[in-house]
Amino acid sequence: MFNITFQQIEAFLAIAKYHNMSRAAESQFISQPTLSKVLQRFENGIGFQVFTRSNKGVVLTPEGEYLYAALSSLYDNLDKAITT
């Protein structure tokens, strides 16, 4: 089983959405270093890297793209269920 949290999934989705760690951190109301740690724990929990990092930002790996597509719809459904 994978060792990941809902917070880590939210952080992953925000980073994938903004392609920028600072903007993603702002959207999650946390600092950029904290977001980086959350992402690192997420990647450790799933066992692979989901982003390629550079000084220009972050880009999803092929595995990250697949995971983003799968998790974003699940997250949206979960969010709707909780809100309802």
XYZ file of all heavy atoms in Angstrom:
669
model
N 0.840 -1.188 0.000
C 0.000 0.000 0.000
C 0.878 1.241 0.000
O 1.982 1.223 0.501
C -0.902 -0.036 1.232
C -2.027 0.918 1.166
S -3.040 0.538 -0.270
C -4.450 1.458 0.038
N 0.349 2.317 -0.545
C 1.103 3.554 -0.629
C 0.905 4.391 0.621
O -0.174 4.403 1.206
C 0.668 4.350 -1.868
C 0.902 3.585 -3.136
C -0.145 2.986 -3.798
C 2.176 3.441 -3.639
C 0.066 2.264 -4.968
C 2.402 2.724 -4.804
C 1.349 2.134 -5.466
N 1.937 5.105 1.006
C 1.901 5.925 2.208
C 1.805 7.391 1.805
O 2.803 8.105 1.780
C 3.149 5.660 3.049
C 3.110 6.376 4.365
O 2.055 6.788 4.831
N 4.269 6.542 4.973
N 0.585 7.831 1.456
C 0.373 9.216 1.059
C -0.839 9.781 1.789
O -1.697 9.036 2.255
C 0.193 9.370 -0.469
C -0.977 8.536 -0.975
C 1.480 9.004 -1.196
C -1.305 8.755 -2.451
N -0.890 11.113 1.861
C -1.995 11.776 2.549
C -2.802 12.617 1.559
O -2.354 12.919 0.460
C -1.472 12.701 3.660
O -0.739 13.783 3.064
C -0.589 11.943 4.649
N -3.981 13.015 2.004
C -4.840 13.880 1.204
C -4.135 15.214 0.948
O -4.209 15.761 -0.159
C -6.178 14.085 1.923
C -7.233 14.709 1.071
C -7.799 14.018 0.020
C -7.666 15.993 1.326
C -8.778 14.582 -0.772
C -8.649 16.578 0.538
C -9.201 15.869 -0.508
N -3.440 15.745 1.951
C -2.695 17.003 1.793
C -1.647 16.872 0.690
O -1.453 17.790 -0.100
C -2.024 17.412 3.105
C -1.224 18.694 2.967
C -0.299 18.967 4.141
O 0.156 18.038 4.798
N -0.029 20.227 4.379
N -0.978 15.741 0.637
C 0.034 15.523 -0.391
C -0.592 15.475 -1.783
O -0.032 16.010 -2.746
C 0.816 14.241 -0.102
C 1.675 14.335 1.136
C 2.195 12.982 1.591
O 1.759 11.935 1.112
N 3.130 12.998 2.527
N -1.746 14.850 -1.888
C -2.446 14.803 -3.172
C -2.853 16.211 -3.596
O -2.667 16.601 -4.756
C -3.670 13.868 -3.110
C -3.215 12.424 -2.905
C -4.532 14.003 -4.373
C -4.325 11.454 -2.579
N -3.391 16.995 -2.660
C -3.761 18.377 -2.970
C -2.555 19.183 -3.429
O -2.649 19.959 -4.392
C -4.377 19.057 -1.746
C -5.786 18.642 -1.443
C -6.345 19.395 -0.258
O -5.706 19.416 0.809
O -7.438 19.982 -0.407
N -1.425 19.006 -2.758
C -0.207 19.727 -3.131
C 0.243 19.321 -4.533
O 0.577 20.173 -5.358
C 0.897 19.453 -2.112
N 0.251 18.035 -4.811
C 0.623 17.538 -6.134
C -0.265 18.152 -7.212
O 0.212 18.640 -8.236
C 0.549 16.009 -6.174
C 0.523 15.439 -7.561
C 1.645 15.516 -8.375
C -0.614 14.843 -8.069
C 1.634 15.000 -9.670
C -0.641 14.313 -9.352
C 0.484 14.399 -10.158
N -1.570 18.161 -6.987
C -2.503 18.703 -7.969
C -2.293 20.196 -8.174
O -2.373 20.688 -9.302
C -3.945 18.404 -7.551
C -4.350 16.928 -7.554
C -5.757 16.756 -6.974
C -4.259 16.328 -8.940
N -2.008 20.919 -7.105
C -1.768 22.366 -7.221
C -0.493 22.648 -8.009
O -0.472 23.533 -8.877
C -1.680 22.997 -5.830
N 0.554 21.910 -7.732
C 1.811 22.104 -8.458
C 1.613 21.785 -9.938
O 2.080 22.519 -10.813
C 2.940 21.249 -7.852
C 3.211 21.667 -6.412
C 4.223 21.371 -8.689
C 4.046 20.657 -5.623
N 0.904 20.711 -10.217
C 0.644 20.337 -11.616
C -0.200 21.397 -12.315
O -0.005 21.671 -13.494
C -0.048 18.981 -11.667
N -1.111 22.005 -11.594
C -1.981 23.032 -12.172
C -1.195 24.300 -12.506
O -1.352 24.863 -13.589
C -3.108 23.366 -11.195
C -4.020 24.481 -11.645
C -5.090 24.760 -10.609
C -5.976 25.927 -11.041
N -7.012 26.213 -10.020
N -0.360 24.752 -11.578
C 0.334 26.024 -11.745
C 1.716 25.907 -12.400
O 2.256 26.905 -12.855
C 0.482 26.729 -10.394
C -0.843 27.183 -9.826
C -1.436 26.503 -8.774
C -1.507 28.280 -10.364
C -2.652 26.907 -8.257
C -2.732 28.689 -9.857
C -3.291 28.001 -8.799
O -4.506 28.399 -8.303
N 2.285 24.725 -12.415
C 3.643 24.523 -12.949
C 4.648 25.472 -12.306
O 5.638 25.854 -12.930
C 3.688 24.681 -14.473
C 2.851 23.685 -15.198
N 3.266 22.397 -15.432
C 1.609 23.793 -15.717
C 2.320 21.748 -16.079
N 1.307 22.567 -16.255
N 4.348 25.864 -11.075
C 5.183 26.815 -10.357
C 5.029 26.557 -8.865
O 3.904 26.603 -8.347
C 4.752 28.239 -10.717
C 5.569 29.294 -10.033
O 5.405 29.525 -8.840
N 6.430 29.946 -10.795
N 6.144 26.303 -8.196
C 6.089 25.951 -6.775
C 5.572 27.114 -5.921
O 4.783 26.895 -5.003
C 7.467 25.514 -6.289
C 7.982 24.249 -6.944
S 7.038 22.781 -6.499
C 7.706 22.467 -4.878
N 6.000 28.334 -6.213
C 5.577 29.487 -5.404
C 4.077 29.733 -5.517
O 3.393 29.938 -4.504
C 6.347 30.743 -5.809
O 7.716 30.580 -5.549
N 3.558 29.717 -6.741
C 2.112 29.924 -6.921
C 1.301 28.785 -6.315
O 0.239 28.999 -5.741
C 1.773 30.102 -8.387
C 2.052 31.522 -8.851
C 1.514 31.763 -10.229
N 2.656 31.601 -11.136
C 2.590 31.214 -12.380
N 1.440 30.933 -12.926
N 3.668 31.097 -13.117
N 1.807 27.572 -6.456
C 1.106 26.426 -5.860
C 1.101 26.539 -4.340
O 0.081 26.257 -3.700
C 1.765 25.127 -6.295
N 2.209 26.973 -3.764
C 2.279 27.149 -2.308
C 1.279 28.201 -1.841
O 0.572 28.000 -0.840
C 3.697 27.527 -1.897
N 1.208 29.309 -2.568
C 0.234 30.356 -2.224
C -1.185 29.804 -2.264
O -2.001 30.110 -1.393
C 0.352 31.528 -3.194
C 1.577 32.380 -2.988
C 1.721 33.462 -4.047
O 0.716 33.776 -4.751
O 2.827 33.988 -4.181
N -1.488 29.004 -3.264
C -2.842 28.458 -3.386
C -3.178 27.496 -2.248
O -4.351 27.302 -1.939
C -3.024 27.763 -4.737
O -2.421 26.483 -4.753
N -2.147 26.906 -1.645
C -2.347 25.968 -0.537
C -2.171 26.631 0.825
O -2.269 25.981 1.855
C -1.361 24.797 -0.665
C -1.523 23.977 -1.927
C -2.861 23.285 -1.964
O -3.166 22.461 -1.102
N -3.694 23.628 -2.929
N -1.854 27.936 0.816
C -1.649 28.714 2.035
C -0.519 28.161 2.897
O -0.617 28.094 4.121
C -2.947 28.828 2.852
C -4.076 29.408 2.066
C -5.076 28.594 1.555
C -4.130 30.765 1.801
C -6.120 29.125 0.807
C -5.171 31.315 1.052
C -6.172 30.488 0.551
N 0.551 27.733 2.213
C 1.744 27.260 2.894
C 2.966 27.883 2.229
O 2.864 28.438 1.134
C 1.862 25.711 2.898
C 1.896 25.153 1.469
C 0.732 25.077 3.699
C 2.088 23.642 1.390
N 4.112 27.773 2.883
C 5.333 28.323 2.300
C 5.859 27.391 1.208
O 5.537 26.202 1.174
C 6.396 28.511 3.383
O 6.853 27.253 3.848
N 6.680 27.947 0.335
C 7.257 27.152 -0.740
C 8.149 26.037 -0.206
O 8.061 24.899 -0.690
C 8.000 28.066 -1.721
C 8.444 27.377 -2.990
C 9.795 26.712 -2.847
O 10.681 27.240 -2.174
N 9.956 25.568 -3.470
N 8.995 26.284 0.827
C 9.788 25.173 1.364
C 8.920 24.048 1.954
O 9.234 22.872 1.800
C 10.652 25.827 2.439
C 10.767 27.255 2.012
C 9.428 27.566 1.391
N 7.819 24.428 2.590
C 6.907 23.412 3.137
C 6.283 22.609 2.006
O 6.187 21.376 2.085
C 5.820 24.072 4.003
O 6.446 24.757 5.089
C 4.832 23.042 4.532
N 5.878 23.282 0.936
C 5.304 22.583 -0.218
C 6.315 21.615 -0.823
O 5.964 20.489 -1.180
C 4.832 23.586 -1.277
C 4.185 22.973 -2.517
C 2.866 22.302 -2.161
C 3.977 24.028 -3.578
N 7.557 22.028 -0.909
C 8.605 21.145 -1.434
C 8.746 19.888 -0.591
O 8.906 18.794 -1.125
C 9.943 21.886 -1.489
O 9.903 22.916 -2.447
N 8.667 20.042 0.721
C 8.755 18.882 1.620
C 7.546 17.974 1.452
O 7.679 16.749 1.467
C 8.893 19.341 3.069
C 10.244 19.950 3.368
C 10.322 20.434 4.791
C 11.640 21.179 5.014
N 11.718 21.765 6.351
N 6.366 18.570 1.311
C 5.150 17.776 1.107
C 5.272 16.979 -0.190
O 4.952 15.787 -0.235
C 3.896 18.681 1.108
C 2.662 17.906 0.677
C 3.687 19.309 2.472
N 5.755 17.636 -1.248
C 5.936 16.951 -2.525
C 6.957 15.824 -2.403
O 6.746 14.731 -2.931
C 6.365 17.929 -3.620
C 6.671 17.306 -4.978
C 5.462 16.582 -5.554
C 7.191 18.364 -5.946
N 8.033 16.071 -1.709
C 9.058 15.043 -1.530
C 8.486 13.824 -0.796
O 8.735 12.683 -1.178
C 10.249 15.604 -0.766
C 11.390 14.618 -0.613
C 12.583 15.244 0.104
O 12.433 16.152 0.909
N 13.757 14.757 -0.200
N 7.680 14.071 0.244
C 7.042 12.954 0.959
C 6.060 12.205 0.056
O 5.950 10.982 0.129
C 6.335 13.469 2.213
C 7.299 13.824 3.315
C 6.553 14.127 4.621
N 7.306 15.125 5.349
C 6.903 16.371 5.584
N 5.713 16.772 5.201
N 7.672 17.216 6.227
N 5.342 12.943 -0.782
C 4.412 12.325 -1.722
C 5.165 11.401 -2.676
O 4.784 10.237 -2.868
C 3.653 13.410 -2.499
C 2.706 12.891 -3.545
C 1.535 12.242 -3.187
C 2.974 13.061 -4.892
C 0.646 11.770 -4.153
C 2.101 12.603 -5.860
C 0.933 11.956 -5.489
N 6.238 11.907 -3.266
C 7.021 11.103 -4.196
C 7.646 9.898 -3.499
O 7.670 8.793 -4.061
C 8.086 11.961 -4.879
C 7.493 12.950 -5.859
C 8.505 13.847 -6.523
O 9.526 14.209 -5.881
O 8.301 14.199 -7.694
N 8.110 10.085 -2.286
C 8.647 8.948 -1.529
C 7.547 7.925 -1.247
O 7.789 6.719 -1.304
C 9.281 9.412 -0.220
C 10.577 10.156 -0.423
O 11.223 10.054 -1.459
N 10.968 10.944 0.575
N 6.350 8.408 -0.948
C 5.229 7.527 -0.631
C 4.759 6.698 -1.815
O 4.335 5.558 -1.649
N 4.821 7.272 -3.021
C 4.371 6.527 -4.200
C 5.523 5.799 -4.890
O 5.297 4.924 -5.715
C 3.626 7.425 -5.208
C 4.508 8.547 -5.733
C 2.342 7.949 -4.589
C 3.883 9.384 -6.825
N 6.751 6.203 -4.587
C 7.903 5.475 -5.103
C 8.467 5.938 -6.432
O 9.280 5.243 -7.027
N 8.020 7.100 -6.923
C 8.599 7.623 -8.161
C 8.427 9.131 -8.221
O 7.604 9.715 -7.521
C 7.987 6.964 -9.405
C 6.490 7.069 -9.513
C 5.895 8.150 -10.149
C 5.672 6.061 -8.999
C 4.514 8.234 -10.265
C 4.290 6.145 -9.115
C 3.716 7.237 -9.742
N 9.215 9.749 -9.091
C 9.193 11.194 -9.269
C 8.070 11.583 -10.224
O 7.882 10.953 -11.269
C 10.535 11.652 -9.837
C 10.915 13.038 -9.472
C 12.335 13.375 -9.913
O 13.014 12.588 -10.563
N 12.769 14.555 -9.561
N 7.315 12.637 -9.856
C 6.198 13.069 -10.684
C 6.484 14.355 -11.449
O 5.717 14.734 -12.334
C 4.896 13.217 -9.858
C 4.402 11.854 -9.401
C 5.089 14.151 -8.678
N 7.571 15.035 -11.093
C 7.949 16.269 -11.774
C 9.423 16.246 -12.123
O 10.236 15.682 -11.400
C 7.719 17.501 -10.881
C 6.284 17.793 -10.600
C 5.725 17.486 -9.378
C 5.479 18.376 -11.563
C 4.407 17.760 -9.106
C 4.142 18.653 -11.298
C 3.609 18.342 -10.071
N 9.749 16.899 -13.232
C 11.120 17.233 -13.555
C 11.279 18.689 -13.141
O 10.477 19.538 -13.553
C 11.390 17.080 -15.068
O 11.105 15.726 -15.435
C 12.818 17.425 -15.402
N 12.266 18.968 -12.318
C 12.452 20.309 -11.793
C 13.582 21.014 -12.536
O 14.585 20.404 -12.862
C 12.770 20.250 -10.305
C 11.637 19.678 -9.466
C 12.210 18.961 -8.236
N 11.208 18.443 -7.338
C 10.654 17.250 -7.441
N 10.975 16.463 -8.442
N 9.767 16.831 -6.570
N 13.391 22.312 -12.756
C 14.451 23.136 -13.350
C 14.292 24.552 -12.825
O 13.326 24.854 -12.110
C 14.365 23.119 -14.877
O 13.284 23.906 -15.324
N 15.221 25.422 -13.207
C 15.097 26.812 -12.764
C 13.943 27.530 -13.466
O 13.581 28.635 -13.085
C 16.416 27.573 -12.970
C 16.865 27.566 -14.420
O 16.276 26.886 -15.261
N 17.912 28.303 -14.717
N 13.344 26.909 -14.461
C 12.196 27.482 -15.164
C 10.871 27.011 -14.577
O 9.810 27.428 -15.026
C 12.254 27.131 -16.645
C 13.435 27.746 -17.358
C 13.429 27.370 -18.818
C 14.639 27.971 -19.506
N 14.674 27.641 -20.930
N 10.915 26.103 -13.611
C 9.700 25.593 -12.999
C 9.697 24.079 -12.962
O 10.750 23.449 -12.927
N 8.516 23.523 -12.959
C 8.366 22.070 -12.897
C 7.530 21.592 -14.079
O 6.639 22.294 -14.552
C 7.715 21.615 -11.570
C 8.613 21.904 -10.387
C 6.362 22.252 -11.368
N 7.851 20.401 -14.549
C 7.123 19.777 -15.649
C 6.778 18.358 -15.215
O 7.625 17.657 -14.647
C 7.981 19.742 -16.938
C 7.247 19.038 -18.060
C 8.386 21.144 -17.346
N 5.554 17.954 -15.472
C 5.149 16.595 -15.126
C 5.949 15.565 -15.919
O 6.171 15.744 -17.126
C 3.662 16.385 -15.415
C 2.687 17.041 -14.446
C 1.296 17.099 -15.061
C 2.656 16.301 -13.136
N 6.351 14.514 -15.244
C 6.931 13.365 -15.933
C 5.774 12.612 -16.596
O 4.600 12.877 -16.285
C 7.646 12.432 -14.945
O 6.671 11.927 -14.011
C 8.775 13.140 -14.195
N 6.055 11.671 -17.477
C 4.955 10.868 -18.041
C 4.122 10.179 -16.947
O 2.889 10.140 -17.033
C 5.666 9.854 -18.937
C 6.927 10.560 -19.350
C 7.333 11.365 -18.140
N 4.794 9.684 -15.916
C 4.072 9.058 -14.797
C 3.231 10.095 -14.059
O 2.111 9.815 -13.629
C 5.057 8.399 -13.821
C 5.857 7.261 -14.413
C 7.121 7.701 -15.148
O 7.412 8.913 -15.229
O 7.818 6.819 -15.648
N 3.794 11.294 -13.904
C 3.072 12.375 -13.249
C 1.845 12.805 -14.034
O 0.795 13.104 -13.453
N 1.966 12.840 -15.358
C 0.821 13.191 -16.208
C -0.308 12.178 -16.030
O -1.477 12.556 -15.909
C 1.237 13.251 -17.670
C 2.080 14.451 -18.013
C 2.479 14.492 -19.476
O 1.816 13.823 -20.305
O 3.443 15.198 -19.786
N 0.053 10.910 -16.011
C -0.956 9.862 -15.817
C -1.622 10.016 -14.451
O -2.851 9.965 -14.333
C -0.321 8.478 -15.949
C -1.296 7.371 -15.647
C -2.186 6.922 -16.613
C -1.356 6.803 -14.379
C -3.107 5.926 -16.341
C -2.276 5.808 -14.090
C -3.150 5.371 -15.065
O -4.066 4.399 -14.781
N -0.799 10.201 -13.422
C -1.318 10.326 -12.070
C -2.189 11.573 -11.929
O -3.235 11.532 -11.277
C -0.150 10.361 -11.072
C -0.471 10.076 -9.619
C -1.134 8.716 -9.455
C 0.792 10.152 -8.788
N -1.779 12.662 -12.558
C -2.575 13.895 -12.505
C -3.954 13.665 -13.121
O -4.972 14.065 -12.544
C -1.860 15.040 -13.224
C -2.646 16.321 -13.228
C -2.801 17.068 -12.064
C -3.261 16.772 -14.391
C -3.537 18.242 -12.054
C -4.003 17.944 -14.392
C -4.136 18.674 -13.223
O -4.879 19.835 -13.224
N -3.999 13.038 -14.276
C -5.286 12.770 -14.926
C -6.180 11.897 -14.052
O -7.380 12.146 -13.931
C -5.053 12.111 -16.284
N -5.588 10.903 -13.431
C -6.373 9.989 -12.597
C -6.818 10.643 -11.291
O -7.978 10.517 -10.884
C -5.554 8.733 -12.297
N -5.912 11.359 -10.635
C -6.231 11.930 -9.323
C -7.090 13.177 -9.392
O -7.877 13.423 -8.480
C -4.945 12.242 -8.548
C -4.157 11.051 -8.031
C -2.892 11.521 -7.323
C -5.002 10.210 -7.090
N -6.969 13.965 -10.447
C -7.745 15.205 -10.496
C -9.246 14.917 -10.544
O -10.024 15.580 -9.857
C -7.311 16.095 -11.654
O -7.440 15.448 -12.878
N -9.667 13.934 -11.306
C -11.097 13.612 -11.341
C -11.558 12.995 -10.016
O -12.651 13.300 -9.539
C -11.425 12.690 -12.512
O -10.755 11.463 -12.376
N -10.728 12.151 -9.424
C -11.078 11.582 -8.118
C -11.182 12.671 -7.058
O -12.105 12.674 -6.234
C -10.030 10.550 -7.688
C -10.011 9.249 -8.454
C -8.804 8.400 -8.041
C -11.295 8.475 -8.221
N -10.231 13.600 -7.085
C -10.246 14.706 -6.121
C -11.501 15.558 -6.301
O -12.153 15.921 -5.320
C -8.989 15.566 -6.284
C -8.980 16.759 -5.376
C -8.576 16.643 -4.047
C -9.396 18.006 -5.835
C -8.580 17.745 -3.208
C -9.400 19.101 -4.991
C -8.994 18.969 -3.683
O -9.002 20.056 -2.852
N -11.843 15.879 -7.545
C -13.042 16.678 -7.802
C -14.290 15.981 -7.277
O -15.150 16.607 -6.654
C -13.201 16.965 -9.294
C -12.160 17.938 -9.820
O -11.521 18.641 -8.999
O -11.968 17.983 -11.051
N -14.394 14.682 -7.504
C -15.550 13.920 -7.004
C -15.587 13.883 -5.486
O -16.659 14.015 -4.891
C -15.542 12.501 -7.573
C -15.895 12.467 -9.029
O -16.529 13.358 -9.558
N -15.440 11.430 -9.718
N -14.434 13.699 -4.874
C -14.367 13.682 -3.415
C -14.740 15.045 -2.852
O -15.496 15.137 -1.874
C -12.971 13.261 -2.958
C -12.737 13.138 -1.467
C -13.688 12.118 -0.850
C -11.294 12.753 -1.189
N -14.243 16.100 -3.461
C -14.554 17.455 -3.013
C -16.052 17.721 -3.117
O -16.659 18.279 -2.189
C -13.760 18.463 -3.838
C -13.933 19.884 -3.344
O -13.745 20.109 -2.129
O -14.247 20.762 -4.166
N -16.671 17.306 -4.216
C -18.115 17.488 -4.389
C -18.896 16.706 -3.337
O -19.883 17.191 -2.775
C -18.539 17.051 -5.786
C -18.135 17.998 -6.869
C -18.515 17.466 -8.241
C -17.917 18.329 -9.334
N -18.121 17.756 -10.668
N -18.465 15.480 -3.074
C -19.156 14.645 -2.075
C -19.073 15.265 -0.682
O -20.073 15.287 0.051
C -18.550 13.241 -2.075
N -17.908 15.766 -0.321
C -17.745 16.380 0.999
C -18.550 17.663 1.096
O -19.201 17.924 2.107
C -16.255 16.628 1.302
C -15.534 15.286 1.489
C -16.064 17.507 2.527
C -14.025 15.383 1.555
N -18.534 18.454 0.023
C -19.290 19.713 0.017
C -20.776 19.457 0.119
O -21.505 20.172 0.829
C -18.982 20.511 -1.268
O -17.581 20.749 -1.331
C -19.716 21.830 -1.282
N -21.250 18.421 -0.545
C -22.674 18.079 -0.525
C -23.069 17.569 0.840
O -24.049 17.892 1.406
C -22.990 17.015 -1.580
O -22.616 17.534 -2.853
C -24.443 16.677 -1.609
